């Protein structure tokens, strides 16, 4: 589980925080993450992958 890739979509950006919705479980509450931990070029609707304890943009 720790090494699995988890895909998220940026739901909203609010100040220094982003709210991420897990792509495989839409019933789950959005996750609040400090923007300092995310790629600087994100915007609402961006897709991210969480892997090896870091977030990166999905470029597919």
């Amino acid at each position: 589980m720790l090494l699995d890739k988890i895909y998220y979509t940026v739901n909203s950006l609010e100040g220094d925080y982003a709210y991420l919705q897990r792509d495989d479980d839409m019933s789950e509450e959005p996750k609040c993450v400090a923007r300092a931990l995310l790629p600087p070029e994100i915007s609402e609707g961006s897709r991210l992958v969480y892997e090896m304890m870091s977030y990166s943009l999905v470029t597919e």
Side-chain angles (χ1 to χ4, degrees):
M1 182 72 166
L2 188 58
L3 298 177
D4 290 345
K5 292 182 182 182
I6 303 171
Y7 291 90
Y8 293 95
T9 299
V10 179
N11 255 6
S12 64
L13 300 173
E14 297 179 18
D16 292 335
Y17 297 93
Y19 289 86
L20 309 180
Q21 182 65 54
R22 203 169 158 155
D23 288 355
D24 64 344
D25 188 359
M26 299 304 279
S27 65
E28 191 173 301
E29 288 288 316
K31 179 178 183 175
C32 181
V33 178
R35 288 181 71 176
L37 300 175
L38 302 174
E41 62 273 10
I42 65 166
S43 60
E44 290 184 7
S46 294
R47 290 201 59 236
L48 300 171
V49 61
Y50 181 73
E51 179 180 33
M52 301 293 289
M53 298 180 62
S54 69
Y55 294 91
S56 57
L57 272 172
V58 174
T59 56
E60 300 171 355

